[in-house]
Amino acid sequence: MTYALQTAALATLLILGAPARALAEESLPGASVEPLLTLARAHNPDYASMRFEAQAATERIAPAGALMDPKFRVEWMDVTQAGSQAPTLWPNDVGSTKYTLMQDLPWFGKRDLKQNIAAQEAQASQGKAQGSWAELAARVKTTHAQRYYLHNTQKLTLELLDLTTRLAKVAQVRYAGGLAMQQDAIRAQLEQTAMQTELVALQSESRQVDARLNALLARPSNAALAAPERLRPLPVAAKLNPDTLMARVEHSNPQLFSEASRIKSAELGRELSLKNRYPDFTLAITPTQMRNRITEWSLMLEINIPLQQASRRAQEREAQAMLDAATARRAAMANQLLSELSENLAGFDAAQNTEKLATSSQLPQAELTFQAALAGYENGKLDFATLLDAQRQVRQAKQAQLKAQLEAQMRLADIEKLLGEEL
């Protein structure tokens, strides 16, 4: 094969392979947060366990209101026919056989109360599952924002490392020409080493964050992830009205929803404890067989006598205490959640303002300072230390941008976790 044919074949392979590589990269999760949330909802085992627990609680509703299974009793009377025969259980050969069918019946309304209590417990479990998802979604969103921050910080460090390398060459040229001291070249090399060390730390932290994200998605810890390309858009200011959000937390927060269901369950439990003052019943019907025919029919009514009033009063006081505890717990939780909402709203506003200042003021000023310092150093008017300080200011301004974006995303994730829904 000639050199020209080999070159053409190689070019063809590269052209054909590029779309395949691009497709493989696109199929990996991690570029944006939405596919990550879909994977977490489908595969996270903790959330799956909470869903199954909620399903199990729902299945308890029907049995809670069902009657107890009936009981069947058989009694053989005079199995030896007054000693005239060997013992037998055959109905035609004994004196008589009684068949009793019994059914336990609770006092009126108890079954409905038990079923309603189970329904409220099922709603509390569903709220707990929703809270588990809100917590999981917030962790996924936060981890994605951390990946975005680390990825772009590495890019920024690489850019500045390349710039520092060019500055080191300028310092070496000036030193060779007798226009600068050797110390300038040494400082540039020290700056390069510091950035390379920081890159190692950033790469290590990125691998740790990737492992945490894969764990949330129930993937192997070293599974490949796409590079984070974008953050979620931030909501407009109209959606962040504190009064509106507080009302939404009161209405939609999964934890408060669960606690409200537990309060209703405790109220029904107190009502059930009062019903226990009244007796339960047992009804029975008894046909009696003699030889090969039914000769008698009997009915039976059994009532338990609720004499242990001290025990029942203690149960009623327990039910009232459980209700008071559930009410106080919900009030405490509401106060805590509203406090967290206020903190996160304040942090979100601060992050947005910080990003605006870094973008509109700090970064342009730092870049102008660096350009002026670079020109001054090339002209011999400024020393190399001043040039490095100007470079660090540019870096700090860009890092302030990234940190503010990360902080805003983390605060937004926490706000949505408190709401139990996305803004």
Side-chain angles (χ1 to χ4, degrees):
M1 183 181 290
T2 65
Y3 177 76
L5 290 176
Q6 290 177 345
T7 303
L10 180 60
T12 302
L13 289 174
L14 290 174
I15 292 172
L16 293 176
R21 288 193 302 272
L23 182 61
E25 179 71 17
E26 289 178 0
S27 64
L28 292 175
S32 60
V33 74
E34 290 79 9
L36 297 176
L37 292 173
T38 301
L39 285 173
R41 184 184 288 273
H43 300 295
N44 183 271
D46 291 334
Y47 176 54
S49 69
M50 299 304 298
R51 293 203 318 269
F52 290 135
E53 286 183 9
Q55 180 182 352
T58 301
E59 297 299 333
R60 297 189 194 108
I61 297 175
L67 287 171
M68 295 182 64
D69 290 334
K71 291 177 283 188
F72 179 70
R73 178 192 300 166
V74 180
E75 298 177 76
W76 293 271
M77 312 298 293
D78 196 11
V79 296
T80 62
Q81 289 283 359
S84 63
Q85 63 181 25
T88 181
L89 297 180
W90 186 248
N92 291 343
D93 296 333
V94 300
S96 63
T97 306
K98 291 183 178 180
Y99 306 97
T100 304
L101 182 64
M102 293 178 289
Q103 177 65 61
D104 293 327
L105 297 173
W107 185 262
F108 307 103
K110 285 186 178 181
R111 288 171 55 204
D112 291 339
L113 285 172
K114 291 179 179 179
Q115 192 167 34
N116 290 336
I117 290 172
Q120 293 301 326
E121 292 296 332
Q123 288 189 11
S125 294
Q126 291 170 1
K128 191 175 179 181
Q130 293 171 1
S132 174
W133 167 246
E135 175 70 25
L136 174 60
R139 292 172 64 186
V140 171
K141 294 169 186 175
T142 298
T143 308
H144 174 72
Q146 291 172 340
R147 292 186 70 241
Y148 180 89
Y149 168 77
L150 290 171
H151 177 73
N152 284 277
T153 300
Q154 288 183 65
K155 288 175 60 177
L156 172 61
T157 304
L158 286 171
E159 292 172 1
L160 293 176
L161 178 59
D162 180 65
L163 176 59
T164 304
T165 302
R166 295 200 302 269
L167 293 178
K169 291 179 180 178
V170 173
Q172 290 173 356
V173 170
R174 289 178 56 79
Y175 170 68
L179 301 176
M181 297 183 296
Q182 186 180 9
Q183 186 179 3
D184 291 352
I186 296 175
R187 283 187 176 180
Q189 292 173 355
L190 289 173
E191 193 74 12
Q192 287 177 286
T193 303
M195 289 186 181
Q196 290 168 350
T197 302
E198 185 173 349
L199 275 174
V200 172
L202 288 171
Q203 290 167 358
S204 174
E205 189 173 356
S206 294
R207 288 194 296 270
Q208 295 174 40
V209 173
D210 287 352
R212 287 202 298 270
L213 180 58
N214 279 323
L216 295 175
L217 305 181
R219 302 172 78 228
S221 60
N222 59 348
L225 290 166
E229 296 177 356
R230 62 184 180 276
L231 294 172
R232 293 192 304 149
L234 299 178
V236 297
K239 291 186 176 182
L240 295 172
N241 179 271
D243 294 334
T244 302
L245 291 182
M246 286 183 181
R248 288 178 64 178
V249 167
E250 289 275 5
H251 180 265
S252 303
N253 180 268
Q255 293 172 290
L256 292 181
F257 176 80
S258 292
E259 291 303 326
S261 296
R262 291 191 176 96
I263 289 175
K264 293 178 182 177
S265 176
E267 290 174 346
L268 294 170
R270 180 186 59 181
E271 188 175 347
L272 180 61
S273 70
L274 296 175
K275 290 277 187 182
N276 287 334
R277 296 180 178 183
Y278 303 99
D280 295 330
F281 307 95
T282 300
L283 295 177
I285 182 170
T286 305
T288 301
Q289 178 182 352
M290 298 185 65
R291 302 302 178 184
N292 59 357
R293 64 190 181 89
I294 302 297
T295 59
E296 295 180 0
W297 289 86
S298 302
L299 295 176
M300 187 269 289
L301 171 64
E302 179 182 285
I303 300 177
N304 68 309
I305 302 175
L307 289 179
Q308 303 299 327
Q309 292 299 314
S311 173
R312 285 174 171 76
R313 296 300 180 271
Q315 292 174 356
E316 292 168 10
R317 292 193 296 271
E318 176 192 5
Q320 181 62 50
M322 293 296 292
L323 174 58
D324 294 340
T327 304
R329 186 167 53 247
R330 187 191 183 282
M333 184 173 293
N335 289 336
Q336 178 64 31
L337 294 175
L338 293 177
S339 174
E340 292 179 9
L341 176 63
S342 298
E343 291 178 10
N344 283 298
L345 285 174
F348 183 83
D349 289 340
Q352 282 195 308
N353 292 332
T354 300
E355 183 183 2
K356 289 178 182 177
L357 288 173
T359 302
S360 62
S361 179
Q362 185 179 1
L363 182 57
Q365 293 172 4
E367 288 176 341
L368 289 174
T369 301
F370 174 74
Q371 294 298 328
L374 179 60
Y377 178 72
E378 291 175 344
N379 295 331
K381 296 180 179 179
L382 292 176
D383 58 9
F384 192 71
T386 304
L387 179 60
L388 287 180
D389 287 339
Q391 179 195 11
R392 293 191 188 103
Q393 289 177 10
V394 173
R395 183 184 186 187
Q396 289 172 0
K398 291 184 177 180
Q399 284 184 327
Q401 275 184 311
L402 292 172
K403 286 182 180 179
Q405 291 174 355
L406 172 62
E407 179 69 13
Q409 291 291 327
M410 294 174 67
R411 294 291 186 175
L412 176 60
D414 286 338
I415 290 171
E416 290 177 338
K417 179 181 70 174
L418 294 172
L419 294 176
E421 56 192 10
E422 294 192 356
L423 286 169

